[in-house]
Amino acid sequence: MATTDRGHFGSRLGFILAAAGSAVGLGNIWKFPYETGENGGGFFVLVYLVCVVLIGFPVMVAEILVGRRAQRSPVGAFGRLRGEESAWRVLGWLGVITGFIILSYYSVVAGWSMNYALMSVVGVFTDRAPDEISAMFTTLYGSWGINVFWHLLFMGMVVGIVIGGVKKGIEAWARLLMPALFVLLTFLVAYSFILPGHADGLAFVFKPNLDKVSEKTFFEGLGTAFFSLSLGMGALLTYGSYLRKDDDVPKSAMIITGLDTLVAFMACMIMFPVIFSYGMEATQGPGLVFVSMPVAFSQMPGGIALAIFFFLLLFFAALTSGISLLEVVTSTVVDQLGWSRRKATLWTGGLIALFGLASAISGTEWFSSNWQVLFGGKNFFDTIDYLASNWFLPLGGLFMSVFVGWVMPRDAVQDEFRSGSTWGGLFSVWYFFLRFVCPVGIALVFLYKVGALNFLLTK
Ligand code: TRP
């Protein structure tokens, strides 16, 4: 294998920006709130938080450490650490396939945010009733032409940036736009306090409500945690492969996890007060952010400008996440097949864009009604989102925790954990979580989901 210099992040902040840019995205602002709505609020939020802290954070440290130790993208990383014949390389390929699938529909949702930014510029939300605004999303969802257009445009942008190399372009933009997103969200959280439904909205998000608890709550809580943290498919492993030995991995992981969770919670603290103030449905699914936010903006002084900002920043957050997804697939092809970066990016990006066409048209009447017959009530888009986030990512995380916790030699893991870190003293605690809490926790959620734990619940 050619020993080209893979390059490293330009600064210590570079990695944190890129990784936080990967983590913070549609998962926090689009997926987490609508899953919270569908799963009845508070208790789901608590499950999510527990999954983030007890499972997500330890797995994140493990993923980044593997990347930094191996200095390779996922498949090559397992090959390098366990030998080129090792079956662990399959785990790398699982990640690549998962990234391929996720990006294919992620791009469609990112397209919606671009469409909404444009709609805001034109001012279509001004003086509209909530029902009318909600109908706009339904129309968009069912229009294949618009979805295909934005999907291809978004994929084109992701491909363009990944060809240039993640580390160059993204650092400078993320440095500016991530804080901007944060400021805007802070303002909107503050604004939500004056809404009449503020107290009800917050109670929905923060008061554990046991009415809707089922195996679905745990399964989707875990999956959403993995999705929003960018875990379980080697994205952070790949970014970790651009790190140096003197970078502080545990501390960086803590910052990324903290920011990601904060943004997810802020999104809910904005959206549910709006939903309760204007009598909207909390259970409306993937359209939630695209309906609730325009309703809020339509009533707000300066709403048009804020709406433009909001959807542009959401689009940007999606872009930095989309880049990390493509980077995994592309860098694997570069590392494994020895293709040039340009050729690999064009091919992988092109295939993902092609596959994503199915998600782009999945809201249309004929495709959704025919697919739903095949797969119990979910359209194509919902089906692959469900499989990738709730099954593939936690499965990847399960194997990752087993790999680092049980297969890699303890000395190597300890050495890697401590290298560059001021948190070396926490090694044993982290290692315990990784070896026991993470695999057992994920396995229990899976077993509960498939009905293998029902005997515990029957009195
Ligand atoms: N975490 C991103 C979000 O919240 C999406 C994402 C980017 C992702 N890279 C990933 C999800 C890798 C899973 C795995 O929007």
Side-chain angles (χ1 to χ4, degrees):
M1 192 181 295
T3 47
T4 48
D5 181 11
R6 297 168 50 76
H8 291 100
F9 282 105
S11 64
R12 200 147 296 182
L13 196 60
F15 168 74
I16 295 189
L17 281 172
S22 165
V24 174
L26 298 168
N28 311 59
I29 298 173
W30 160 72
K31 192 176 178 58
F32 175 61
Y34 94 70
E35 296 272 6
T36 297
E38 284 189 335
N39 285 292
F43 190 75
F44 177 82
V45 173
L46 187 65
V47 170
Y48 173 87
L49 189 63
V50 169
C51 290
V52 165
V53 174
L54 300 187
I55 299 178
F57 174 68
V59 171
M60 183 185 286
V61 173
E63 243 197 74
I64 302 173
L65 288 183
V66 168
R68 183 173 69 174
R69 184 145 194 105
Q71 301 279 307
R72 290 275 184 288
S73 53
V75 177
F78 291 108
R80 186 167 218 190
L81 297 179
R82 298 305 300 169
E84 295 304 328
E85 304 294 309
S86 166
W88 282 100
R89 297 180 54 189
V90 175
L91 180 55
W93 285 113
L94 173 74
V96 173
I97 294 167
T98 310
F100 186 103
I101 295 174
I102 292 180
L103 182 55
S104 79
Y105 67 86
Y106 198 83
S107 159
V108 176
V109 183
W112 296 342
S113 66
M114 291 196 271
N115 193 61
Y116 269 74
L118 187 67
M119 284 160 81
S120 311
V121 172
V122 186
V124 288
F125 307 124
T126 323
D127 299 328
R128 298 288 185 144
D131 284 354
E132 291 176 279
I133 291 179
S134 155
M136 290 177 196
F137 179 75
T138 313
T139 307
L140 171 65
Y141 195 67
S143 325
W144 67 271
I146 307 180
N147 285 314
V148 166
F149 171 76
W150 292 115
H151 159 66
L152 294 179
L153 185 63
F154 183 80
M155 282 306 302
M157 290 191 259
V158 174
V159 165
I161 296 174
V162 172
I163 286 182
V166 170
K167 289 155 277 156
K168 272 181 245 149
I170 209 69
E171 277 189 45
W173 283 99
R175 207 177 279 249
L176 182 70
L177 293 175
M178 295 265 297
L181 176 66
F182 202 71
V183 170
L184 180 63
L185 291 177
T186 308
F187 171 79
L188 291 171
V189 169
Y191 173 82
S192 77
F193 277 81
I194 67 166
L195 293 171
H198 180 253
D200 290 343
L202 288 194
F204 182 82
V205 180
F206 291 111
K207 223 163 116 193
N209 160 10
L210 297 174
D211 292 354
K212 273 199 159 183
V213 177
S214 68
E215 76 290 342
K216 191 170 168 283
T217 320
F218 295 92
F219 187 59
E220 294 181 4
L222 178 68
T224 307
F226 267 79
F227 187 94
S228 90
L229 292 170
S230 291
L231 282 183
M233 54 139 303
L236 295 179
L237 186 157
T238 306
Y239 279 10
S241 75
Y242 306 127
L243 279 181
R244 298 191 187 85
K245 292 291 170 208
D246 58 355
D247 285 305
D248 191 334
V249 173
K251 191 167 153 199
S252 309
M254 182 60 102
I255 296 173
I256 298 158
T257 307
L259 281 176
D260 189 72
T261 311
L262 193 59
V263 171
F265 276 66
M266 288 170 92
C268 280
M269 290 172 65
I270 297 166
M271 269 174 246
F272 286 98
V274 172
I275 287 162
F276 281 85
S277 299
Y278 299 104
M280 293 182 276
E281 290 287 338
T283 51
Q284 58 188 278
L288 195 75
V289 60
F290 298 104
V291 174
S292 64
M293 290 314 294
V295 167
F297 292 131
S298 75
Q299 311 283 333
M300 230 181 258
I304 295 190
L306 288 171
I308 300 172
F309 256 133
F310 178 82
F311 287 111
L312 278 180
L313 290 173
L314 183 59
F315 152 71
F316 181 76
L319 191 61
T320 53
S321 302
I323 289 165
S324 76
L325 287 159
L326 184 58
E327 178 67 14
V328 174
V329 185
T330 300
S331 61
T332 303
V333 170
V334 171
D335 285 355
Q336 297 304 308
L337 305 182
W339 288 14
S340 74
R341 186 170 186 87
R342 188 184 173 80
K343 180 174 164 197
T345 314
L346 288 172
W347 271 99
T348 52
L351 286 176
I352 293 170
L354 198 64
F355 185 69
L357 291 177
S359 293
I361 65 166
S362 77
T364 57
E365 185 54 39
W366 70 268
F367 190 30
S368 86
S369 49
N370 288 317
W371 183 270
Q372 287 186 16
V373 179
L374 287 176
F375 202 94
K378 288 186 161 53
N379 64 27
F380 179 81
F381 173 104
D382 297 335
T383 308
I384 59 171
D385 178 26
Y386 185 82
L387 288 176
S389 0
N390 300 335
W391 283 111
F392 294 0
L393 295 177
L395 198 66
L398 173 66
F399 284 118
M400 182 62 73
S401 59
V402 171
F403 182 79
V404 178
W406 297 91
V407 177
M408 275 175 77
R410 186 190 158 110
D411 295 349
V413 177
Q414 183 165 12
D415 172 56
E416 203 55 52
F417 185 94
R418 294 200 167 150
S419 163
S421 182
T422 50
W423 292 21
L426 291 176
F427 173 76
S428 312
V429 182
W430 167 76
Y431 201 52
F432 172 81
F433 271 82
L434 191 72
R435 279 161 72 89
F436 300 102
V437 179
C438 299
V440 172
I442 298 171
L444 282 177
V445 171
F446 281 164
L447 289 174
Y448 188 21
K449 169 66 190 167
V450 298
L453 295 182
N454 290 352
F455 67 92
L456 290 176
L457 304 168
T458 44
K459 294 171 203 118

